[in-house]
Amino acid sequence: MGNCIPLLVQESKSLPIETIFKLPSPLPNWPPGAGDFGSGYVDLGGLEVCQVVTFNKVWAIDKGGPDNLGATFYEPSPIPDGFSMFGCYCQPNNKPLFGWVLVGKDNAGEILKNPIDYTLIWSSESSKFKNKNSHDHGYIWLPTPPEGYKALGHVVTTSPEKPTFDKIQCVRSDRTEDLEVESWIWGQGTTSKENGINVHSVRPRERSIKAQGVGVGTFLARITSDKDDDSNTTLSLACLKNDKFGAFSSMPSLSQIQALFEQYSPLIYFHPKEKYLPSSVNWYFANGALLYQKGQESNPNPIEPNGSNLPQGGPNDGAYWLDLPIDEKDKEKVIKGDLLNSEVYLHIKPMLGATFTDIALWIFHPFNGPGTAKLGLIDVPLGKIGEHVGDWEHVTLRISNFNGVLHKVYLSEHSGGTWLDAPSLEFQKDSNKVVAYSSLNGHAIFPKPGLVLQGAGDIGIRNDTAKSNLVLDSGESYSIVAAENLEIIEPPWLNYTREWGPKKSYTLGDEVKKIESLLKGNLKGAFEKLVKVLPNEVYGEEGPTGPKMKGNWNGDEV
């Protein structure tokens, strides 16, 4: 096998793309394991792939795309001996260079074949996109695969001559999966009323802990018009399929997972005014949390510290729920949580056909505090709106199984969340530990301190974050509660499928009227509009379910 030897792009200060992103601290040598994790290669079943992260620049454009800074197109280089390119790489110029593409080696025969022709998708010669200070032209080609094969990417050249047929490889159709558009890289955008080029990153359409689709890291170029619906049903490219997925041979071992989490474990900062801090689940149970059963509300049961007396499995049918202690003093203690006795819970997930590992870390708060509305220049406390017992938030680290590099992080924000690539993250000084910020009372997690408004314009729910002495170092106290590729004994509370808090004991309408009665004129109208557009989770109508009941437990983050 060849080696993926770095070949660096010449640095320049003119555009972010010409700065190569590197993690702040050098990575260690990962502990040895039984499989191929960290080896640089993954066997997809007769098709061996290598993740190449170094490139030769082919062509760049200095306008269009995000921030109107253009995009740059690359070829993977060097390619290991015996391996072939599936397509070029492209990214916008508004961020540092940080990407990858897969190259492949056919160890079984007949899996890979050369294209039989090329179609010119787009040329800068006949486009309004022309470089200001360069006369170089770019050409984007779509390979024509042989019958029974599919193309995985494009070839980019600076010549109008078709690329050679051995420039790229197509893959037998049964070794591919469908893909979908992920994010816009460059082009005229969807608001343009004229035909033009748009370039997107792509990903496997099916993404879950059991899905076999493997992202290739290439891009999709399409000529679009105002009549296009951006449909994913007729895309000209495909992604790979891992035929050895069930073996999990590329997934990290237990010791490797521990080393990865030690390297990247997030530090989550809480607002200096935060009253509702996290705790471990065991601390919550041991300090008086109660299990209620429908029809026996007057006789709740204390919960064993490990949750062993919680009902296991079954539908979320309202038959059981958890609540705070009855005694007011005990309740006040539990509501505040206990940062020193907090713990994060890790779920280890194979993703993108087990070429990446997701480490999802779940954080438990005994109580979610009330919200605050921002109505222009005025802040309005929302009383009980936003309050609920039991609050689960999470952060997901997406790590390459080829080399153990952190590529993306997902931060949960109420009922949704945000993926950020590594160059967009904050890291703890002189380390690769991710830094994130939990919003005041609501615990949504954001990448930067400051105010994020959930609403429209200058009207919405405040999400205030700031750095303080209240910080959760997730690497100090964690446990692996589930792993698809390892035998892990799951704690009983993980398989409790009902709600972690009661349905609210107040009427939302009454609470809204109470606040409206205190407002005058334009503020009252602004508040009425806010109530209509905010999602249900803001109102905290009932306690949440646990991590295993979330769609992202088995699927991808959305």
Side-chain angles (χ1 to χ4, degrees), residues 8 10 23 82 95 102 104 161 188 209 243 261 271 288 317 331 346 434 458 479-480 496 525 534 544 551:
L8 302 183
Q10 292 296 314
L23 290 168
K95 58 184 180 179
L102 298 188
E161 301 296 323
Q188 290 179 289
I209 60 174
D243 264 12
F261 197 63
H271 195 278
D317 53 10
K331 182 185 294 186
L346 308 187
V434 176
D458 60 352
S479 58
I480 300 172
Y496 167 71
L534 287 176

Side-chain angles (χ1 to χ4, degrees), residues 51-94:
Q51 188 182 66
V52 180
V53 299
T54 53
F55 305 93
N56 279 338
K57 176 182 171 182
V58 179
W59 182 73
I61 183 73
D62 56 16
K63 64 182 73 172
D67 300 328
N68 198 32
L69 289 177
T72 304
F73 297 82
Y74 298 91
E75 288 182 357
S77 179
I79 296 175
D81 294 341
F83 285 73
S84 301
M85 187 172 85
F86 293 129
C88 290
Y89 173 74
C90 177
Q91 76 166 61
N93 290 336
N94 69 339

Side-chain angles (χ1 to χ4, degrees), residues 378-524:
I378 307 298
D379 289 339
V380 179
L382 293 181
K384 294 183 178 180
I385 295 177
E387 289 186 352
H388 60 80
V389 175
D391 185 29
W392 283 101
E393 302 292 345
H394 73 285
V395 174
T396 298
L397 312 173
R398 178 157 290 175
I399 298 165
S400 168
N401 288 346
F402 293 92
N403 48 28
V405 171
L406 176 71
H407 275 267
K408 289 185 176 182
V409 172
Y410 180 86
L411 304 179
S412 66
E413 298 161 4
H414 302 297
S415 61
T418 303
W419 276 113
L420 296 107
D421 59 12
S424 303
L425 298 168
E426 179 182 346
F427 292 90
Q428 187 76 350
K429 185 178 179 181
D430 299 326
S431 83
N432 296 326
K433 291 179 178 291
V434 176
V435 172
Y437 298 85
S438 177
S439 66
L440 179 63
N441 292 354
H443 309 137
I445 303 176
F446 296 94
K448 303 293 181 186
L451 169 64
V452 176
L453 203 60
Q454 187 180 6
D458 60 352
I459 296 173
I461 298 292
R462 295 187 66 101
N463 289 276
D464 290 282
T465 61
K467 190 166 284 189
S468 74
N469 293 329
L470 300 172
V471 58
L472 171 64
D473 185 343
S474 61
E476 288 188 352
S477 182
Y478 69 92
S479 58
I480 300 172
V481 296
E484 307 306 318
N485 63 312
L486 302 172
E487 291 187 9
I488 300 292
I489 299 175
E490 297 181 352
W493 59 260
L494 187 61
N495 292 296
Y496 167 71
T497 58
R498 274 77 173 194
E499 289 163 351
W500 284 69
K503 292 190 177 182
K504 65 177 188 179
S505 58
Y506 62 92
T507 302
L508 176 61
D510 292 345
E511 198 70 16
V512 169
K513 289 177 183 177
K514 188 189 303 181
I515 297 169
E516 286 181 340
S517 68
L518 302 174
L519 301 175
K520 305 294 182 184
N522 293 338
L523 288 180
K524 179 174 286 191

Side-chain angles (χ1 to χ4, degrees), residues 230-241:
D230 204 30
S231 171
N232 283 315
T233 60
T234 58
L235 300 186
S236 56
L237 302 177
C239 65
L240 287 170
K241 177 182 179 181

Side-chain angles (χ1 to χ4, degrees), residues 1-7 40-41 50-54 77-80 103:
M1 292 182 183
N3 293 315
C4 297
I5 304 171
L7 182 66
Y41 301 88
C50 173
Q51 188 182 66
V52 180
V53 299
T54 53
S77 179
I79 296 175
V103 295

